[in-house]
Amino acid sequence: MTEKKLDYKETLNLPRTEFPMKANLPQREPQILERWKGLYKKIIEERKGREVFVLHDGPPYANGHIHVGHALNKILKDVINKYNLLIGKNINYIPGWDCHGLPIERAVEKELSKKKIRKESLPKTEFRKLCREYANRYVNIQKEEFIRLGVLGDWENPYLTMSPEYEATEIRELGKFFEKGLAYRSKKPVYWCIYDKTAEAEAEVEYYEKEDPSIYVKFPLKKEIEGKKAYAVIWTTTPWTLPANLGIMVKEDADYSLVEVEGEVWIVAKELLENFFKNIGKTYTRVLKDVKGRDLVGLEYEHPFVDRDELKGYLSEETLKNMWRIYPSEFVSLDTGTGLVHMAPGHGQEDYTVGKRYNLEPYAPLDDSGRFVEPAPEFIRGVRVFDANKLIIALLKEKGYLVHEARIRHSYPHCWRCKNPVIFRATPQWFIGMDIEYEGKTLREKALEEIEKVKWIPEYGKNRIKSMVENRPDWCISRQRFWGVPITVFYCENCGEVIKDKEVFERIASLVEKHPGGTDVWFEKSPEEILPEGYKCPKCGGTSFRKEEDILDVWFDSGCSHASVIRPLGFEKADLYLEGSDQHRGWFQASLLESVGSYGEAPYRSVLTHGFIVDEQGRKMSKSLGNVISPQDVIKEFGADILRLWVVSEDYTEDVKLGKNLLKKIAEDYRKIRNTLRFILGNLYDFNPEKDALKFEEIHHFDRWIVSKLQKILEKVHENYENYLFYRVHNTIKNFIIVDLSAVYLDVLKDRLYVYAPSSKERRSAQTALWHLLISLTTATAPYLSFTAEEIWEYVRKINPSLPESVFLYEMPKPDKKLIDEEVLKDYELLMKVRDEVLRVIEIARKEKGLIRHPYEAKVYLKAEGEVKKVVERYMDYMNFFLTVSQFELGEGGEVVEKGEELPVVVGVSRAEGEKCPRCWIYYPQNEFVGDVCRRCAEALSAIGVKTGEG
């Protein structure tokens, strides 16, 4: 019977692990999500009493599936929350949704129109019920989609801006603004969407290119100049505002020229004279004289096509007396036009400001859909503003007042919802006054002071919001819609007094809290049922009241979230608000103004902003370009962890690129990280850290090097997490894994892991270092590779069952000075350069010369002097293993000889001497063999009870 030959491969300690090489994330992640049910609650309980990090969630809008912008936002928040858990803090993360507003109304109207039902035919409360159901439907859809991203939070108890508790808090907050005298009602121009028929906040307006008429018009002065008919020449791109003209504005200290043109006198700013005549293609005969703007103030003129008598009964006596004159204004610039600016106080903020100063009311003869109504001239009544332009221009031409007509493309405000151009229109609205003084300062002043106390990330965010708050007009908080929180004030039917008592607001809030439909109670009950019993008007004693019909701006809704979500839990403010950079004019600003108005302070300590998603060519994602990538598709193909890795691999402070090629590259990075951690796991199958781990001083110098290096990596990782520089976290870890671990440490380590006896000091030293690496890398990547880290954690717990059930119940190691050997670090910095020089020459010997096929077939000679020689001598006994060659010698020699490129050394390579050990593959002289294996392998085999050469 033939004796079976021993297979030495079976005696090696080769890696063993059930942790799969293939991630299969789309299938595996849902299983991990099942395990995570109840995890948030458990963490909160276990971390009770610890410092709490509060990241307050800006509510996404509940009207559709989530897009990649949502994914970027929520994953960034999740990374921050999980990092705070992994440094031992507790967290408070309550996801929220914005549930009111026009997009939901429009979606419900669309659904109704399919059933041939008009919104107006339904009771208001019935329509609001449909809106609530619609919002709820998408809250549930988005909730599942956010959970699928691996986002940890209190998903069972989110906050909804339409919940009765939230709405009640909002009404109390509104009451505080009335109590402090910050809320007022006035007729003044606001952004108005003629398509959605509602006022809009500044944050709801976007700027796009628009083509408009550009016309110069001459307004006839009442007084002749030097016996000639005189005209003030104005320039406008909005001819439709001319019917509401009440004055002309000039710059007081500017020079104006009175020039003769075809027997008439025209007035134009001196600085713009040449440009103006060049634009209109005419010339002037002579300059009669130059005057200052202040000399023109008070001159009266006739309107080119509006009859003063037709305005009687519509405009106040004061306005009728003061209109159609030239007024001084600080808002006139000499950049373009004529230096004389047509003023319509009902159609512009600056016009309104000047008009108010001179008792000119904000006149805007339009209905809600932007059509002209009485007392506008008959020829444009019933016509929409933009359609009226051509009619007005034609009339001016006919009457001889049109100087010149052209077209202009310019940036123009558009509605963010319907994408149509908006107008400025004066209507009675509720406002929060930015410059009303209370408690010694204005809301604007207090808000600007608070901005200085907040940490803005990136820093330029501070200047951005600061300039917006400095320049913003009063906050228009009323909207003419059905679906939202009502402005809960009453008007006395007898004297018109606005009822805004604190007790009334509290009474309404308590009714809202108890009603299943929240603020539906406002629309269902009569004023008598809502007001306290026997309530009388504080001004006249009247007992008959009517309710305000307008609802609150949705930015006031979401701006109150700090009061509804954070403060009731005992937190004065959030540690962090995090949203897209457009929210400096949106949620960040609304929250700041609401909080400063109510509590005198900002609701946040820090504010972080991210950019928007663009495709790989840097183009905005749009259906028309066909470049939209949905998070659902990415998850289906790659898994959520790839999406999460994409988020941290990009610099989110700028616009973030996303595309198929990029995702494939990210997936490749992921594979490298996963396979490295799998290799580490595979070599710890027989390691018990509690009894097998060696002390730092006892471990091999090569292991001391990697553990020391790991501390430096942890230092960078923590620092970059703290500063929210996640792409640097990822790059630091990725480079460490690829450059230090895969290419060097783990490659060199295979010999010690596989060849030595399982429980030998050499192997236990290597395993001790691997254990440090495994714990550190699993926890360091857990904030972003959450599913993978949790999957690895299952196997980590098999090595050490005393660890907690989830990686998020554990803490990421902090850099430990006791685990740093500075001398070894310094030595290995040089040794790594030596290794690079040697590997380069080995490659020449292998590829170009055909001298060897594998580095183990090589003997290396190194001629070195000074520091290099000294360091190499210190590590002589390990140099061949470190270089993954069979033999190493200090001195000259070798068949292939090359000078160093980076170091002053000479490297020689020849074929290794002696025989190859069939177990470890290293070549030894014959006297180093015991039986048919080398002495080292013989000792390892003996330790496991195998005699060399035995079957």
Side-chain angles (χ1 to χ4, degrees), residues 342-391:
H342 126 72
M343 173 174 53
H347 292 304
Q349 183 57 42
E350 292 166 352
D351 302 32
Y352 169 79
T353 303
V354 176
K356 193 176 178 189
R357 199 179 290 156
Y358 298 106
N359 298 314
L360 297 168
E361 64 192 276
Y363 165 58
L366 302 173
D367 67 10
D368 290 355
S369 62
R371 295 181 190 279
F372 282 96
V373 292
E374 285 188 5
E378 202 169 333
F379 78 101
I380 51 171
R381 281 180 208 161
V383 179
R384 265 194 165 166
V385 284
F386 301 120
D387 297 329
N389 279 336
K390 56 180 181 290
L391 300 177

Short mmCIF file of all heavy atoms in Angstrom, two decimals, residues 342-391:
data_model
loop_
_atom_site.label_atom_id
_atom_site.label_comp_id
_atom_site.label_asym_id
_atom_site.label_seq_id
_atom_site.Cartn_x
_atom_site.Cartn_y
_atom_site.Cartn_z
N HIS A 342 -39.54 105.64 -13.62
CA HIS A 342 -41.01 105.63 -13.41
C HIS A 342 -41.33 104.90 -12.13
O HIS A 342 -40.75 103.86 -11.82
CB HIS A 342 -41.66 105.02 -14.66
CG HIS A 342 -42.59 103.88 -14.44
ND1 HIS A 342 -43.84 104.02 -13.88
CD2 HIS A 342 -42.45 102.54 -14.72
CE1 HIS A 342 -44.43 102.83 -13.83
NE2 HIS A 342 -43.60 101.92 -14.34
N MET A 343 -42.21 105.48 -11.31
CA MET A 343 -42.51 104.95 -9.98
C MET A 343 -43.95 104.46 -9.90
O MET A 343 -44.89 105.21 -10.13
CB MET A 343 -42.27 106.03 -8.92
CG MET A 343 -42.73 105.62 -7.53
SD MET A 343 -42.33 106.78 -6.23
CE MET A 343 -42.96 108.31 -6.79
N ALA A 344 -44.10 103.13 -9.58
CA ALA A 344 -45.43 102.55 -9.35
C ALA A 344 -45.39 101.90 -7.96
O ALA A 344 -44.96 100.76 -7.82
CB ALA A 344 -45.75 101.51 -10.42
N PRO A 345 -45.80 102.63 -6.91
CA PRO A 345 -45.67 102.11 -5.54
C PRO A 345 -46.40 100.79 -5.29
O PRO A 345 -46.11 100.09 -4.32
CB PRO A 345 -46.26 103.23 -4.67
CG PRO A 345 -46.16 104.46 -5.52
CD PRO A 345 -46.34 103.99 -6.93
N GLY A 346 -47.33 100.45 -6.20
CA GLY A 346 -48.04 99.17 -6.04
C GLY A 346 -47.33 98.01 -6.69
O GLY A 346 -47.77 96.87 -6.60
N HIS A 347 -46.19 98.29 -7.37
CA HIS A 347 -45.52 97.23 -8.13
C HIS A 347 -44.02 97.14 -7.88
O HIS A 347 -43.31 96.52 -8.67
CB HIS A 347 -45.78 97.41 -9.62
CG HIS A 347 -47.20 97.18 -10.01
ND1 HIS A 347 -47.88 96.01 -9.73
CD2 HIS A 347 -48.10 97.99 -10.64
CE1 HIS A 347 -49.12 96.10 -10.19
NE2 HIS A 347 -49.28 97.29 -10.74
N GLY A 348 -43.52 97.72 -6.81
CA GLY A 348 -42.08 97.61 -6.55
C GLY A 348 -41.76 98.02 -5.13
O GLY A 348 -42.35 98.98 -4.61
N GLN A 349 -40.81 97.33 -4.52
CA GLN A 349 -40.46 97.59 -3.13
C GLN A 349 -39.87 99.00 -2.95
O GLN A 349 -40.26 99.74 -2.05
CB GLN A 349 -39.45 96.53 -2.65
CG GLN A 349 -39.05 96.63 -1.18
CD GLN A 349 -40.22 96.57 -0.22
OE1 GLN A 349 -41.14 95.77 -0.38
NE2 GLN A 349 -40.23 97.43 0.78
N GLU A 350 -38.94 99.37 -3.84
CA GLU A 350 -38.30 100.69 -3.71
C GLU A 350 -39.31 101.80 -4.03
O GLU A 350 -39.33 102.84 -3.36
CB GLU A 350 -37.07 100.77 -4.62
CG GLU A 350 -35.96 99.83 -4.14
CD GLU A 350 -34.86 99.61 -5.17
OE1 GLU A 350 -35.03 100.06 -6.32
OE2 GLU A 350 -33.84 98.99 -4.82
N ASP A 351 -40.14 101.55 -5.04
CA ASP A 351 -41.20 102.51 -5.40
C ASP A 351 -42.14 102.72 -4.22
O ASP A 351 -42.57 103.84 -3.92
CB ASP A 351 -42.02 102.00 -6.60
CG ASP A 351 -41.16 101.74 -7.83
OD1 ASP A 351 -39.99 101.38 -7.66
OD2 ASP A 351 -41.66 101.90 -8.95
N TYR A 352 -42.46 101.60 -3.55
CA TYR A 352 -43.35 101.65 -2.39
C TYR A 352 -42.73 102.50 -1.28
O TYR A 352 -43.40 103.33 -0.66
CB TYR A 352 -43.62 100.23 -1.90
CG TYR A 352 -44.33 100.17 -0.55
CD1 TYR A 352 -45.70 100.36 -0.45
CD2 TYR A 352 -43.60 99.93 0.62
CE1 TYR A 352 -46.34 100.31 0.78
CE2 TYR A 352 -44.24 99.88 1.85
CZ TYR A 352 -45.60 100.08 1.93
OH TYR A 352 -46.23 100.04 3.14
N THR A 353 -41.43 102.28 -1.03
CA THR A 353 -40.73 103.01 0.04
C THR A 353 -40.78 104.51 -0.21
O THR A 353 -41.10 105.30 0.69
CB THR A 353 -39.26 102.52 0.13
OG1 THR A 353 -39.26 101.11 0.34
CG2 THR A 353 -38.51 103.19 1.26
N VAL A 354 -40.49 104.92 -1.44
CA VAL A 354 -40.50 106.35 -1.78
C VAL A 354 -41.93 106.87 -1.78
O VAL A 354 -42.22 107.96 -1.26
CB VAL A 354 -39.81 106.58 -3.15
CG1 VAL A 354 -39.91 108.05 -3.56
CG2 VAL A 354 -38.34 106.15 -3.08
N GLY A 355 -42.84 106.07 -2.34
CA GLY A 355 -44.25 106.49 -2.38
C GLY A 355 -44.82 106.73 -1.00
O GLY A 355 -45.53 107.72 -0.76
N LYS A 356 -44.47 105.84 -0.06
CA LYS A 356 -44.97 105.96 1.32
C LYS A 356 -44.48 107.27 1.94
O LYS A 356 -45.22 107.96 2.66
CB LYS A 356 -44.47 104.76 2.14
CG LYS A 356 -45.16 104.60 3.47
CD LYS A 356 -44.68 103.34 4.16
CE LYS A 356 -45.35 103.21 5.53
NZ LYS A 356 -44.77 102.14 6.32
N ARG A 357 -43.24 107.62 1.62
CA ARG A 357 -42.62 108.85 2.14
C ARG A 357 -43.41 110.09 1.71
O ARG A 357 -43.48 111.08 2.43
CB ARG A 357 -41.19 108.90 1.61
CG ARG A 357 -40.25 109.80 2.35
CD ARG A 357 -38.85 109.72 1.72
NE ARG A 357 -38.20 108.44 1.95
CZ ARG A 357 -37.25 107.93 1.17
NH1 ARG A 357 -36.85 108.60 0.10
NH2 ARG A 357 -36.72 106.77 1.44
N TYR A 358 -43.99 110.04 0.49
CA TYR A 358 -44.67 111.22 -0.06
C TYR A 358 -46.18 111.01 -0.19
O TYR A 358 -46.85 111.63 -1.02
CB TYR A 358 -44.05 111.59 -1.41
CG TYR A 358 -42.58 111.95 -1.26
CD1 TYR A 358 -41.59 111.08 -1.69
CD2 TYR A 358 -42.21 113.13 -0.62
CE1 TYR A 358 -40.25 111.38 -1.52
CE2 TYR A 358 -40.86 113.45 -0.44
CZ TYR A 358 -39.88 112.57 -0.89
OH TYR A 358 -38.56 112.88 -0.71
N ASN A 359 -46.72 110.12 0.68
CA ASN A 359 -48.17 109.90 0.76
C ASN A 359 -48.79 109.45 -0.57
O ASN A 359 -49.87 109.92 -0.95
CB ASN A 359 -48.90 111.14 1.29
CG ASN A 359 -48.46 111.47 2.69
OD1 ASN A 359 -48.38 110.58 3.55
ND2 ASN A 359 -48.11 112.72 2.93
N LEU A 360 -48.10 108.56 -1.28
CA LEU A 360 -48.65 107.95 -2.48
C LEU A 360 -48.97 106.51 -2.15
O LEU A 360 -48.09 105.73 -1.80
CB LEU A 360 -47.63 108.01 -3.63
CG LEU A 360 -47.23 109.42 -4.10
CD1 LEU A 360 -46.02 109.34 -5.01
CD2 LEU A 360 -48.39 110.10 -4.82
N GLU A 361 -50.25 106.14 -2.24
CA GLU A 361 -50.63 104.78 -1.82
C GLU A 361 -50.19 103.73 -2.83
O GLU A 361 -49.99 104.03 -4.02
CB GLU A 361 -52.14 104.71 -1.60
CG GLU A 361 -52.96 104.93 -2.85
CD GLU A 361 -54.42 105.14 -2.53
OE1 GLU A 361 -55.11 104.11 -2.39
OE2 GLU A 361 -54.86 106.30 -2.44
N PRO A 362 -50.01 102.47 -2.38
CA PRO A 362 -49.61 101.41 -3.31
C PRO A 362 -50.80 100.98 -4.18
O PRO A 362 -51.64 100.20 -3.78
CB PRO A 362 -49.16 100.28 -2.38
CG PRO A 362 -49.83 100.55 -1.08
CD PRO A 362 -50.08 102.01 -1.00
N TYR A 363 -50.84 101.52 -5.38
CA TYR A 363 -51.96 101.34 -6.29
C TYR A 363 -51.62 100.26 -7.31
O TYR A 363 -50.58 100.31 -7.98
CB TYR A 363 -52.26 102.69 -6.96
CG TYR A 363 -53.15 102.65 -8.18
CD1 TYR A 363 -54.42 102.10 -8.12
CD2 TYR A 363 -52.70 103.18 -9.40
CE1 TYR A 363 -55.24 102.07 -9.26
CE2 TYR A 363 -53.51 103.16 -10.53
CZ TYR A 363 -54.77 102.60 -10.45
OH TYR A 363 -55.58 102.58 -11.57
N ALA A 364 -52.48 99.23 -7.41
CA ALA A 364 -52.24 98.13 -8.35
C ALA A 364 -53.60 97.64 -8.86
O ALA A 364 -54.24 96.80 -8.22
CB ALA A 364 -51.49 96.99 -7.65
N PRO A 365 -54.04 98.14 -10.02
CA PRO A 365 -55.39 97.78 -10.50
C PRO A 365 -55.45 96.40 -11.16
O PRO A 365 -55.74 96.27 -12.35
CB PRO A 365 -55.70 98.91 -11.50
CG PRO A 365 -54.35 99.28 -12.03
CD PRO A 365 -53.35 99.05 -10.94
N LEU A 366 -55.14 95.33 -10.38
CA LEU A 366 -55.13 93.96 -10.90
C LEU A 366 -55.93 93.05 -10.01
O LEU A 366 -56.02 93.27 -8.80
CB LEU A 366 -53.69 93.42 -10.93
CG LEU A 366 -52.63 94.16 -11.74
CD1 LEU A 366 -51.27 93.54 -11.47
CD2 LEU A 366 -52.94 94.12 -13.23
N ASP A 367 -56.47 91.97 -10.61
CA ASP A 367 -57.09 90.94 -9.76
C ASP A 367 -56.04 89.86 -9.45
O ASP A 367 -54.88 89.96 -9.87
CB ASP A 367 -58.36 90.36 -10.41
CG ASP A 367 -58.05 89.55 -11.68
OD1 ASP A 367 -56.86 89.28 -11.98
OD2 ASP A 367 -59.01 89.19 -12.39
N ASP A 368 -56.47 88.82 -8.73
CA ASP A 368 -55.52 87.79 -8.28
C ASP A 368 -54.84 87.04 -9.42
O ASP A 368 -53.76 86.50 -9.26
CB ASP A 368 -56.23 86.77 -7.37
CG ASP A 368 -56.61 87.38 -6.02
OD1 ASP A 368 -56.22 88.54 -5.78
OD2 ASP A 368 -57.28 86.69 -5.22
N SER A 369 -55.51 86.98 -10.60
CA SER A 369 -54.91 86.24 -11.71
C SER A 369 -54.12 87.17 -12.63
O SER A 369 -53.77 86.79 -13.75
CB SER A 369 -55.99 85.50 -12.51
OG SER A 369 -56.89 86.43 -13.05
N GLY A 370 -53.86 88.41 -12.15
CA GLY A 370 -53.01 89.33 -12.90
C GLY A 370 -53.71 90.03 -14.06
O GLY A 370 -53.06 90.51 -14.98
N ARG A 371 -55.04 90.06 -14.00
CA ARG A 371 -55.80 90.77 -15.06
C ARG A 371 -56.14 92.19 -14.58
O ARG A 371 -56.45 92.39 -13.40
CB ARG A 371 -57.10 90.02 -15.40
CG ARG A 371 -56.83 88.65 -16.01
CD ARG A 371 -58.11 87.92 -16.37
NE ARG A 371 -57.83 86.54 -16.73
CZ ARG A 371 -57.39 86.14 -17.90
NH1 ARG A 371 -57.20 87.03 -18.85
NH2 ARG A 371 -57.15 84.87 -18.16
N PHE A 372 -56.13 93.15 -15.51
CA PHE A 372 -56.43 94.53 -15.14
C PHE A 372 -57.92 94.69 -14.83
O PHE A 372 -58.77 94.09 -15.49
CB PHE A 372 -56.03 95.49 -16.26
CG PHE A 372 -54.54 95.75 -16.29
CD1 PHE A 372 -53.72 95.03 -17.14
CD2 PHE A 372 -53.97 96.70 -15.45
CE1 PHE A 372 -52.36 95.26 -17.16
CE2 PHE A 372 -52.61 96.94 -15.46
CZ PHE A 372 -51.78 96.21 -16.32
N VAL A 373 -58.20 95.46 -13.78
CA VAL A 373 -59.59 95.74 -13.37
C VAL A 373 -59.74 97.26 -13.23
O VAL A 373 -58.76 97.99 -13.28
CB VAL A 373 -59.92 95.04 -12.03
CG1 VAL A 373 -59.95 93.53 -12.19
CG2 VAL A 373 -58.93 95.45 -10.93
N GLU A 374 -60.96 97.71 -13.05
CA GLU A 374 -61.19 99.15 -12.82
C GLU A 374 -60.33 99.60 -11.64
O GLU A 374 -60.14 98.84 -10.70
CB GLU A 374 -62.67 99.40 -12.50
CG GLU A 374 -63.54 99.31 -13.72
CD GLU A 374 -64.99 99.75 -13.41
OE1 GLU A 374 -65.24 100.20 -12.27
OE2 GLU A 374 -65.83 99.65 -14.30
N PRO A 375 -59.81 100.82 -11.70
CA PRO A 375 -59.99 101.88 -12.70
C PRO A 375 -58.90 101.89 -13.78
O PRO A 375 -58.61 102.95 -14.32
CB PRO A 375 -59.90 103.14 -11.85
CG PRO A 375 -58.88 102.79 -10.81
CD PRO A 375 -59.06 101.33 -10.53
N ALA A 376 -58.28 100.76 -14.09
CA ALA A 376 -57.30 100.72 -15.19
C ALA A 376 -57.98 101.16 -16.48
O ALA A 376 -59.20 100.97 -16.63
CB ALA A 376 -56.75 99.30 -15.33
N PRO A 377 -57.24 101.74 -17.41
CA PRO A 377 -57.87 102.17 -18.67
C PRO A 377 -58.63 101.02 -19.33
O PRO A 377 -58.22 99.87 -19.27
CB PRO A 377 -56.66 102.60 -19.53
CG PRO A 377 -55.59 102.93 -18.56
CD PRO A 377 -55.80 102.04 -17.38
N GLU A 378 -59.73 101.36 -19.96
CA GLU A 378 -60.65 100.35 -20.50
C GLU A 378 -59.98 99.40 -21.49
O GLU A 378 -60.29 98.22 -21.55
CB GLU A 378 -61.84 101.06 -21.16
CG GLU A 378 -63.05 100.16 -21.24
CD GLU A 378 -64.33 100.91 -21.65
OE1 GLU A 378 -64.42 102.14 -21.37
OE2 GLU A 378 -65.19 100.27 -22.24
N PHE A 379 -59.02 99.91 -22.29
CA PHE A 379 -58.44 99.08 -23.37
C PHE A 379 -57.63 97.88 -22.85
O PHE A 379 -57.32 96.98 -23.59
CB PHE A 379 -57.60 99.94 -24.33
CG PHE A 379 -56.23 100.31 -23.82
CD1 PHE A 379 -55.09 99.64 -24.25
CD2 PHE A 379 -56.07 101.35 -22.90
CE1 PHE A 379 -53.82 99.99 -23.79
CE2 PHE A 379 -54.81 101.70 -22.43
CZ PHE A 379 -53.68 101.01 -22.88
N ILE A 380 -57.30 97.89 -21.54
CA ILE A 380 -56.55 96.73 -21.00
C ILE A 380 -57.34 95.96 -19.93
O ILE A 380 -56.83 94.96 -19.40
CB ILE A 380 -55.16 97.14 -20.44
CG1 ILE A 380 -55.30 98.30 -19.45
CG2 ILE A 380 -54.15 97.41 -21.53
CD1 ILE A 380 -54.01 98.61 -18.70
N ARG A 381 -58.53 96.37 -19.63
CA ARG A 381 -59.31 95.66 -18.60
C ARG A 381 -59.58 94.22 -19.03
O ARG A 381 -59.96 93.97 -20.18
CB ARG A 381 -60.64 96.37 -18.31
CG ARG A 381 -60.47 97.57 -17.42
CD ARG A 381 -61.78 98.26 -17.13
NE ARG A 381 -61.56 99.69 -16.86
CZ ARG A 381 -62.48 100.63 -16.93
NH1 ARG A 381 -63.73 100.30 -17.26
NH2 ARG A 381 -62.19 101.88 -16.67
N GLY A 382 -59.37 93.29 -18.10
CA GLY A 382 -59.59 91.87 -18.40
C GLY A 382 -58.38 91.21 -19.06
O GLY A 382 -58.38 90.01 -19.30
N VAL A 383 -57.36 92.03 -19.39
CA VAL A 383 -56.15 91.49 -20.05
C VAL A 383 -55.10 91.19 -18.98
O VAL A 383 -54.92 91.97 -18.04
CB VAL A 383 -55.59 92.51 -21.08
CG1 VAL A 383 -54.32 91.96 -21.74
CG2 VAL A 383 -56.65 92.85 -22.11
N ARG A 384 -54.38 90.04 -19.15
CA ARG A 384 -53.31 89.70 -18.21
C ARG A 384 -52.09 90.60 -18.43
O ARG A 384 -51.82 91.03 -19.55
CB ARG A 384 -52.89 88.24 -18.38
CG ARG A 384 -53.61 87.34 -17.40
CD ARG A 384 -52.99 85.98 -17.33
NE ARG A 384 -53.47 85.28 -16.13
CZ ARG A 384 -53.31 84.00 -15.93
NH1 ARG A 384 -52.68 83.26 -16.81
NH2 ARG A 384 -53.76 83.43 -14.84
N VAL A 385 -51.34 90.83 -17.34
CA VAL A 385 -50.26 91.82 -17.37
C VAL A 385 -49.29 91.64 -18.54
O VAL A 385 -49.02 92.61 -19.26
CB VAL A 385 -49.46 91.81 -16.03
CG1 VAL A 385 -50.24 92.50 -14.94
CG2 VAL A 385 -49.06 90.41 -15.61
N PHE A 386 -48.77 90.44 -18.75
CA PHE A 386 -47.75 90.27 -19.79
C PHE A 386 -48.34 90.42 -21.19
O PHE A 386 -47.65 90.85 -22.12
CB PHE A 386 -47.04 88.92 -19.63
CG PHE A 386 -46.36 88.76 -18.28
CD1 PHE A 386 -46.70 87.74 -17.42
CD2 PHE A 386 -45.40 89.68 -17.87
CE1 PHE A 386 -46.10 87.61 -16.17
CE2 PHE A 386 -44.78 89.56 -16.62
CZ PHE A 386 -45.13 88.53 -15.77
N ASP A 387 -49.64 90.11 -21.32
CA ASP A 387 -50.31 90.31 -22.62
C ASP A 387 -50.60 91.78 -22.87
O ASP A 387 -50.75 92.22 -24.01
CB ASP A 387 -51.63 89.52 -22.67
CG ASP A 387 -51.39 88.02 -22.55
OD1 ASP A 387 -50.33 87.56 -23.01
OD2 ASP A 387 -52.24 87.30 -21.97
N ALA A 388 -50.71 92.55 -21.76
CA ALA A 388 -51.04 93.98 -21.88
C ALA A 388 -49.86 94.79 -22.43
O ALA A 388 -50.04 95.89 -22.95
CB ALA A 388 -51.46 94.54 -20.53
N ASN A 389 -48.64 94.24 -22.31
CA ASN A 389 -47.45 94.98 -22.76
C ASN A 389 -47.60 95.50 -24.19
O ASN A 389 -47.39 96.68 -24.47
CB ASN A 389 -46.20 94.09 -22.68
CG ASN A 389 -45.63 94.02 -21.27
OD1 ASN A 389 -45.85 94.91 -20.46
ND2 ASN A 389 -44.90 92.96 -20.99
N LYS A 390 -47.99 94.60 -25.11
CA LYS A 390 -48.05 95.01 -26.53
C LYS A 390 -49.15 96.05 -26.77
O LYS A 390 -49.01 96.94 -27.63
CB LYS A 390 -48.19 93.79 -27.45
CG LYS A 390 -49.36 92.88 -27.20
CD LYS A 390 -49.33 91.71 -28.22
CE LYS A 390 -50.50 90.77 -28.04
NZ LYS A 390 -50.39 89.98 -26.79
N LEU A 391 -50.26 95.95 -26.03
CA LEU A 391 -51.36 96.92 -26.18
C LEU A 391 -50.91 98.30 -25.71
O LEU A 391 -51.21 99.33 -26.34
CB LEU A 391 -52.59 96.47 -25.39
CG LEU A 391 -53.19 95.11 -25.78
CD1 LEU A 391 -54.35 94.76 -24.85
CD2 LEU A 391 -53.68 95.13 -27.24
#
